[in-house]
Amino acid sequence: MAVEVVYRSSRDLEHLFMDKAEADRHDKMLELAELLAEVLQKSVPSLSEQQAEEAGFYMAKNRDVFAKAFKSQPDALSELLNSVDE
């Protein structure tokens, strides 16, 4: 019988990871998504809680693209636009 080590994110108990670093990255992404949702909901009161959560998750999941866009490379967002069109 083999023993297999798996890791679980503390914020998402349903997903299992074979690598601790991957579980940590997922946990940090979810933490960022939660904070982004909170900021969006306070900044745009007309957003529902669900809309803010979805937007926060999307932004956190694509943080590298948004980081490029915020660092004077707004064309980086076209990568996301192209993936939505497909």
Side-chain angles (χ1 to χ4, degrees):
M1 175 189 274
V3 175
E4 191 173 85
V5 176
V6 293
Y7 298 91
R8 181 178 296 173
S9 166
S10 61
R11 293 180 176 271
D12 182 3
L13 301 178
E14 293 179 14
H15 286 93
L16 299 177
F17 300 91
M18 301 306 287
D19 180 23
K20 183 181 183 318
E22 189 178 345
D24 287 340
R25 280 192 300 275
H26 185 73
D27 199 40
K28 287 180 183 180
M29 187 268 302
L30 293 176
E31 183 178 358
L32 176 60
E34 186 178 309
L35 292 170
L36 285 168
E38 187 177 335
V39 168
L40 288 169
Q41 200 165 23
K42 286 186 179 191
S43 302
V44 186
S46 62
L47 280 179
S48 71
E49 185 176 341
Q50 181 178 353
Q51 289 171 323
E53 287 175 2
E54 289 174 5
F57 183 77
Y58 181 78
M59 291 173 70
K61 187 173 143 188
N62 294 289
R63 74 183 285 173
D64 293 337
V65 175
F66 282 100
K68 286 179 192 175
F70 291 139
K71 290 181 182 177
S72 302
Q73 295 179 14
D75 293 342
L77 292 175
S78 63
E79 178 182 326
L80 295 177
L81 289 173
N82 292 336
S83 68
V84 170
D85 292 339
E86 295 173 354

